[in-house]
Amino acid sequence: MPPSYETSYLVSVVQKCTSITTLKKARQLHALLLTTSPPSLHFPSPYLHNNLTSMYARCNSLLDAEKVFDKTPSRNVVSYNALISAYSRAPNHANLAFTLFSKMGFEYLRPNGATFTSLFQAACLAEDRLIGSLLHALVLKYGFLGDVCVQTSLLGMYSNCGDMESANEVFGCIDGKDVVAWNSTIFGNLRNDKIKEGLALFFDMVKCGVFPTSFTYSMVLNACGRVGNYGFGKVIHARIVVSNIVVDLPLQNALLDINLEKGVHAAEQVLLLNARDSGTHILLSNLYAATGRWEGVAEMRRKIRDLTMEKDPGLSWIEDKNDIHVFSSGDQLHPLVNDAQAELHRLQGNMIRSVTGDFVSSI
């Protein structure tokens, strides 16, 4: 039996809802739906409202999403998940996700794995470990601890809140760890200054046959730069080259930073051997500036002034009848400096007049 007109209409509208990402088009579609939908679709079903709520959330219009949610008839768990997910992605609205979750309980609706995934993301934004722990207890109560998405979100929440002991316990309980779980726990350890543990986890990840992403490599390279492990950073760089992975902007920055750090380290070692090396002082000052270490730049410039150091002057020479005259940058002491400057001005003028052929010969 071919689908009815109402069913085809409903399917087409929902498909549009899932593809729209601009607020103007979202409102246009909503208006079209209100004015042209078949009368038989005006029944108390939350289906269309849920998709409209998600559509407005993707367009970053929480106000419109809330209005649709408030008018949704017979709200179900999908209705709540749509708005909770929107709140969990907005830093200034994370606490509203918890309020809405409480309201969901008053309507005797049972949360699912998607609910807790969004709530853990909201707890990350709020950096509220207490609420995260309470949500963890509810996950155990409702039996969602075997859900990999929920476990990964729980892991990320503990890592973001600095509780690496709990995060590592959750990580150990995950069966079939995917790259997201590995990245979450590596990031958590590195973020909380557990560099050795984070790099060890990277090795374990590779041994388990899980392919690192560009995010994984950028994390590890940044950690190598922080602890000065440039040898390992070189190995990671080589692995990136042979893996043919797409080098995105964060990874490009990480590669640039570690190479700059290597230069800083090398220059600092040279100064340990020769503290009066003017070229190395200047090089190190430039490297500090490139890495944003402005205090280091100021310190290097102070040392340069104290040692009355200057860069080696630039030299130029002019050959005149088999005699070579050497001039330094800014030199006004050479006996023929005025003649040299006059000849340079003549040549410059001839270059300008070259299109007319009106040359001035030298005297």
Side-chain angles (χ1 to χ4, degrees), residues 92-335:
N92 297 327
H93 295 78
N95 289 327
L96 293 178
F98 309 130
T99 303
L100 194 61
F101 177 64
S102 299
K103 184 178 179 181
M104 180 180 175
F106 291 136
E107 295 191 13
Y108 301 102
L109 292 173
R110 178 185 173 86
N112 58 20
T115 313
F116 286 110
T117 299
S118 295
L119 289 171
F120 284 131
Q121 186 175 356
C124 282
L125 288 178
E127 295 187 351
D128 195 325
R129 184 192 176 283
L130 177 59
I131 290 182
S133 299
L134 295 174
L135 291 170
H136 189 178
L138 289 175
V139 165
L140 293 172
K141 175 183 176 181
Y142 287 107
F144 291 114
L145 198 57
D147 187 317
V148 175
C149 291
V150 174
Q151 289 176 316
T152 304
S153 298
L154 177 60
L155 167 62
M157 183 275 297
Y158 279 129
S159 297
N160 194 69
C161 294
D163 186 356
M164 289 312 303
E165 182 178 354
S166 298
N168 290 328
E169 287 180 5
V170 174
F171 180 74
C173 295
I174 299 177
D175 293 326
K177 302 176 181 66
D178 60 6
V179 67
V180 178
W182 282 102
N183 281 350
S184 294
T185 191
I186 292 173
F187 174 76
N189 279 277
L190 298 180
R191 183 176 185 269
N192 291 282
D193 295 325
K194 296 183 180 294
I195 308 297
K196 183 178 179 180
E197 293 84 348
L199 295 179
L201 282 166
F202 173 78
F203 280 117
D204 293 339
M205 175 185 183
V206 175
K207 290 177 183 177
C208 290
V210 179
F211 292 98
T213 63
S214 59
F215 177 64
T216 316
Y217 285 126
S218 62
M219 287 191 298
V220 174
L221 285 172
N222 287 328
C224 291
R226 286 166 58 188
V227 299
N229 192 346
Y230 305 113
F232 186 58
K234 188 175 181 179
V235 172
I236 296 298
H237 191 178
R239 185 180 178 88
I240 292 170
V241 172
V242 300
S243 66
N244 292 323
I245 194 170
V246 177
V247 180
D248 56 13
L249 184 59
L251 184 52
Q252 289 177 8
N253 291 336
L255 288 168
L256 177 62
D257 288 343
I258 194 169
N259 283 300
L260 286 173
E261 290 290 347
K262 285 166 62 178
V264 169
H265 178 72
E268 289 174 342
Q269 296 302 308
V270 170
L271 289 181
L272 289 177
L273 299 175
N274 183 5
R276 300 184 65 83
D277 188 327
S278 61
T280 303
H281 275 88
I282 295 168
L283 173 63
L284 189 54
S285 175
N286 293 336
L287 288 172
Y288 280 149
T291 54
R293 301 181 185 180
W294 304 115
E295 292 183 0
V297 173
E299 177 66 14
M300 284 299 102
R301 289 180 177 175
R302 183 188 64 78
K303 288 183 178 180
I304 291 171
R305 286 196 301 270
D306 290 345
L307 296 172
T308 62
M309 296 178 181
E310 294 181 356
K311 291 184 179 180
D312 294 335
L315 299 178
S316 58
W317 59 89
I318 298 175
E319 184 176 352
D320 177 33
K321 297 179 181 179
N322 297 324
D323 291 331
I324 297 177
H325 302 275
V326 179
F327 298 84
S328 64
S329 177
D331 188 358
Q332 295 295 321
L333 300 179
H334 194 283

